[in-house]
Amino acid sequence: MLIFYGIVFFIMANLYTLAEFSGEYRVAACVVCGILFVFGNIKPCPLDRVRFTRSVRFAGRDKDSGSGASRKEEASGIRATLRGKKIPSRRLRICMQGSDLLLLFCFSTAASALYLLLEIGQLWQGEAKVWLFHLLNVFLVEAVVFWNGIIRVYLTSKQLAVKWRVLGLICGFIPIANLVVLYHIIKITGYEARLEGEKLLIDEERKDRRICATKYPILLVHGVFFRDFKYLNYWGRIPGELEKNGAVIYYGNHQSADSVEGSARELAARIRQITEETGCGKLNIIAHSKGGLDCRYAISQLGIGDLTASLTTINTPHRGCLFADYLLEKIPEAVQEKTADTYNKAVKVLGDENPDFMKAVHDLTASACTERNEYIGDAKGIYYQSIGSKCNRGVNGRFPLNFTYHLVKYFGGENDGLVSTDSFPWGEAYRLVTVKGRRGVSHGDMIDLNRENIPGFDVREFYVELVADLKQRGF
């Protein structure tokens, strides 16, 4: 259908020279072409059907279905069931249409430009007016297609960052630069429409299976320098996706910055509160960054082992961060104290009762973690596993990760922008997450911090698979 409308748009753009406005048949043909042009601008792909990205990993297989080939067969089966279904979101349908229109604009404009160049001899053959009217016709037709598409994606896309929106406005009339920016806009919005449409249909297809309905509820524990806010979720779109698939979610609700012991005491109290109020008996803890250190301490030293079914640490520096030792040694003490005082005052306004910036930083050093690991052991009867990720290049992590990546790499090699991959492993199982190519997966990407769709890594489906696995293990 897109190819068909591409031809229609090309004909309309070059109608001045392709059609002779005399004769009943030719007039009728022009009218038909005009009607098709209008319809093409309304719905360039009238069916608005799913076009699979093949980047979603499917979770929730049965225990006896195995993995590998069985997983591929299940994924193929789901795609076969959903292929051709209408995307159940008007916003995504409009976004897809906008992306398609911009793609049609590129093809028809390129073809029209080539045609104009072939006919440029008219300028020296006494037919300059004909060529100029032809150029005007191309400009007007393509302007309709372009603005129709760009307005749709600007109004409906959630993935199109402010950077690309601003660049689109600034570079719109700059040759070459406008093509580069337009390419990225089409790529981002088209991928968003396909991926999000696919996910909506997948969730609808498997909602009755409740693949994330674990025996024990999930406790999500944030890392350092963040809080659990009601309207700005630390975990991005992840909790919503888990709840769609049957999970019961709770949050740590502890302060943003404190020593490992201080945060652990808050979390221990929170865990006791949840288990007493709900009668759930135990919790499955998923902890990010320093939150993993806090939870290990709480389980080992504060007597909540009997209330914990499993602990999954995400990008946790179990062996500390060497670059933190370096910074504490090199940065003047007065600067450290000033930074800590400013931070502590700011987060008190946000709700922290007694934050301690410096204690939090000190407990993340390699020396502090080494000392703590000597007396913090794993409790019996609890399933421990760890997950880490790595950036493939420093520029892939947004500020300040694109700066700290190089510092961490100098001291510890491959990293996620903050933590060396050597520091991640802990427990019975360990997985390192990344994607092919030059991007990678950063410390923030693992909690959907930027709400960004990363080609090759669907963070929401990753957590669905993670929790579905806990369910299959009996937790």
Side-chain angles (χ1 to χ4, degrees), residues 8-19 21 108-123 127-143:
V8 170
F9 288 3
F10 171 76
I11 292 174
M12 280 299 299
N14 300 277
L15 197 60
Y16 188 79
T17 55
L18 290 177
F21 297 94
S108 58
T109 299
S112 297
L114 180 61
Y115 186 34
L116 279 167
L117 287 174
L118 292 175
E119 297 292 325
I120 199 170
Q122 292 176 330
L123 292 174
E127 297 181 352
K129 287 185 178 180
V130 174
W131 193 89
L132 291 174
F133 274 115
H134 182 190
L135 176 63
L136 179 62
N137 187 73
V138 170
F139 176 81
L140 293 175
V141 169
E142 299 299 351

Side-chain angles (χ1 to χ4, degrees), residues 379-397:
K380 294 182 180 179
I382 297 176
Y383 175 63
Y384 289 84
Q385 65 175 334
S386 54
I387 296 165
S389 69
K390 74 181 186 75
C391 293
N392 296 335
R393 292 194 309 166
V395 295
N396 297 134

Side-chain angles (χ1 to χ4, degrees), residues 277-331:
E277 291 180 356
T278 65
C280 61
K282 295 183 178 183
L283 293 173
N284 290 304
I285 303 174
I286 299 177
H288 179 246
S289 194
K290 177 179 174 287
L293 302 179
D294 303 334
C295 291
R296 281 179 50 212
Y297 189 101
I299 293 170
S300 173
Q301 303 297 308
L302 302 179
I304 61 164
D306 292 340
L307 304 178
T308 306
S310 68
L311 172 61
T312 303
T313 59
I314 309 291
N315 291 54
T316 293
H318 292 288
R319 292 158 191 81
C321 304
L322 281 171
F323 85 95
D325 296 73
Y326 173 80
L327 292 178
L328 288 174
E329 180 183 341
K330 296 296 182 181
I331 296 177

Side-chain angles (χ1 to χ4, degrees), residues 185-201:
I185 291 175
I186 294 171
K187 180 181 178 181
I188 292 168
T189 57
Y191 183 75
E192 175 187 0
R194 294 192 301 273
L195 177 67
E196 298 299 330
E198 177 181 349
K199 287 190 67 61
L200 284 175
L201 290 173

